[in-house]
Amino acid sequence: MAEPQATVTPLDSLDPSLVLLTVEEAARRLRIGRTTCFRLVLAGEIESVTVGRLRRVPADALPAYVAKLRHRSAHAA
């Protein structure tokens, strides 16, 4: 009888050595939907850069975005 194979999860989105992330990887790290993340990137809420024809999110832009959200929440309360 064959043993069940373990499911392999792509660790690229969790690799702390990555400097630039795809929008999909950024969305996974933020635990939000891909479409929502694209909307935030296009609105300038999440910093992004273009590399050739590719759109990438700097890894350090995600903590900056979360800090901005926390700052807004603190002032709204």
Side-chain angles (χ1 to χ4, degrees):
M1 183 178 260
E3 291 184 33
Q5 294 181 347
T7 307
V8 178
T9 306
L11 297 176
D12 291 344
S13 64
L14 302 176
D15 184 353
S17 67
L18 292 177
V19 177
L20 294 175
L21 307 169
T22 65
V23 176
E24 290 87 354
E25 290 168 339
R28 278 196 296 270
R29 284 192 181 189
L30 291 170
R31 302 285 201 256
I32 62 174
R34 177 183 167 275
T35 304
T36 301
C37 195
F38 268 105
R39 209 174 308 129
L40 290 168
V41 164
L42 291 176
E45 290 287 320
I46 297 176
E47 178 189 358
S48 67
V49 297
T50 53
V51 180
R53 294 176 55 185
L54 305 173
R55 173 74 50 192
R56 294 293 181 254
V57 176
D60 61 351
L62 301 182
Y65 172 68
V66 173
K68 189 174 16 173
L69 289 177
R70 294 177 78 180
H71 181 73
R72 284 184 197 161
S73 294
H75 284 282

